[in-house]
Amino acid sequence: MTHTNTPSRYWIIVPAAGVGARMGAGMPKQYLTLLGKTILEHTLERLLGLPNVTGVLVAISPTDNIWPQLPVSANPRITRIDGGAERSDSVLNALEALADQAQAQDWVLVHDAARPCITLSAIQNLCAVLVDDPVGGILAVPVSDTIKRVDANHTIVQTLDRTQLWQAQTPQLFRYGLLRASLASARARGQTITDEASALEANGHPHRVVEGRADNIKITRPEDLALAHTILQQQETTQ
Ligand code: CTP
Ligand code: MG
């Protein structure tokens, strides 16, 4: 990897092409409304508050006709990219769309549309901790529950050592060249990838967790909506 003297640029990719099957809301969960705005608008509003971002790419399903109705879709800093079958396909599509503009050492910050409670200070801390890192890293929190490994009958097989377990979140921040190559090679091997970090891991690029906040929840199931509502409301009054 070549490092130039010019500071690395930052790109943001927001995968927002999921259908929200576990939410079961009849529409993709990123378009559900909390405090008068869709979840996707909350997420983008926070990300657009970051200084020094070169471009924001949002992966949207080609069949999605809700996105164009959101005012934020007309924001000149945002580019719509076609999402793919899996989250990792959506992210890789966005990375490929940057091929002519991004350099290998540029930073790419990938953040789920479904995590609207992310704070700017957590993102800025992630960027600051990793600023000289050749690979990157992710926000995560130490696991606070006791974790059980079970067999097919749900009988407990083992209680895992919690001190070694962290729960991965987004943003995940990686160098453009390594991230793109790692996701492409995972796809070529047919490997299932649920976050960027596992693609880097599978390709032998060690990287770190940076401790984030437990309230950066991923809205996944119906009961998460009330929680996210409370978190957003509380953050709005304290920031
Ligand atoms: N995502 C995406 N492209 C896909 C699948 C998911 O861009 N093919 C995005 C989602 O929109 C979401 C993020 O990846 O912002 C995290 O995925 P997840 O929470 O699993 O969302 P969904 O896939 O929509 O939900 P489900 O798995 O319950 O269907
Ligand atoms: Mg999913």
Side-chain angles (χ1 to χ4, degrees):
M1 164 153 318
T2 53
H3 285 278
T4 60
N5 290 328
T6 48
S8 304
R9 294 181 301 177
Y10 285 84
W11 304 92
I12 294 178
I13 293 176
V14 180
V19 296
R22 286 169 288 182
M23 182 63 69
M27 70 164 82
K29 63 189 179 184
Q30 55 271 25
Y31 297 123
L32 298 176
T33 299
L34 291 173
L35 300 175
K37 271 180 287 197
T38 64
I39 290 168
L40 181 53
E41 289 173 300
H42 280 287
T43 303
L44 290 174
E45 192 169 286
R46 290 189 177 198
L47 295 173
L48 289 167
L50 286 169
N52 306 321
V53 172
T54 304
V56 180
L57 290 80
V58 185
I60 300 285
S61 165
T63 61
D64 180 327
N65 52 21
I66 305 177
W67 166 253
Q69 298 172 32
L70 301 185
V72 73
S73 67
N75 187 311
R77 295 172 62 197
I78 294 182
T79 305
R80 174 181 177 161
I81 300 294
D82 278 349
E86 302 293 335
R87 180 184 177 285
S88 55
D89 298 317
S90 297
V91 173
L92 191 51
N93 284 356
L95 291 167
E96 285 170 355
L98 286 175
D100 293 339
Q101 301 169 70
Q103 297 183 336
Q105 74 273 20
D106 284 358
W107 285 115
V108 179
L109 186 107
V110 182
H111 184 65
D112 290 332
R115 290 186 190 268
C117 304
I118 185 65
T119 60
L120 281 191
S121 58
I123 304 175
Q124 283 168 325
N125 185 48
L126 177 72
C127 295
V129 169
L130 297 174
V131 69
D132 292 322
D133 196 285
V135 180
I138 68 171
L139 279 186
V141 288
V143 164
S144 51
D145 292 324
T146 298
I147 304 289
K148 307 291 188 184
R149 195 162 66 77
V150 302
D151 66 15
N153 298 318
H154 292 185
T155 301
I156 294 171
V157 175
Q158 191 189 5
T159 301
L160 299 177
D161 176 9
R162 199 171 61 194
T163 58
Q164 296 189 351
L165 297 176
W166 287 61
Q167 208 174 323
Q169 301 181 340
T170 70
Q172 304 205 343
L173 181 71
F174 290 106
R175 301 283 180 183
Y176 174 79
L178 290 179
L179 178 57
R180 186 177 168 198
S182 299
L183 282 173
S185 91
R187 179 191 275 178
R189 287 193 306 269
Q191 189 184 346
T192 306
I193 291 290
T194 56
D195 71 346
E196 288 62 54
S198 43
L200 275 286
E201 190 189 320
N203 282 274
H205 301 297
H207 54 276
R208 305 148 69 178
V209 291
V210 174
E211 186 162 357
R213 294 165 51 125
D215 64 2
N216 177 27
I217 64 165
K218 181 160 74 73
I219 299 178
T220 305
R221 296 180 178 81
E223 61 268 32
D224 297 331
L225 288 170
L227 191 56
H229 182 272
T230 305
I231 294 167
L232 289 171
Q233 206 163 34
Q234 187 259 340
Q235 288 176 344
E236 280 182 12
T237 55
T238 56
Q239 280 172 11

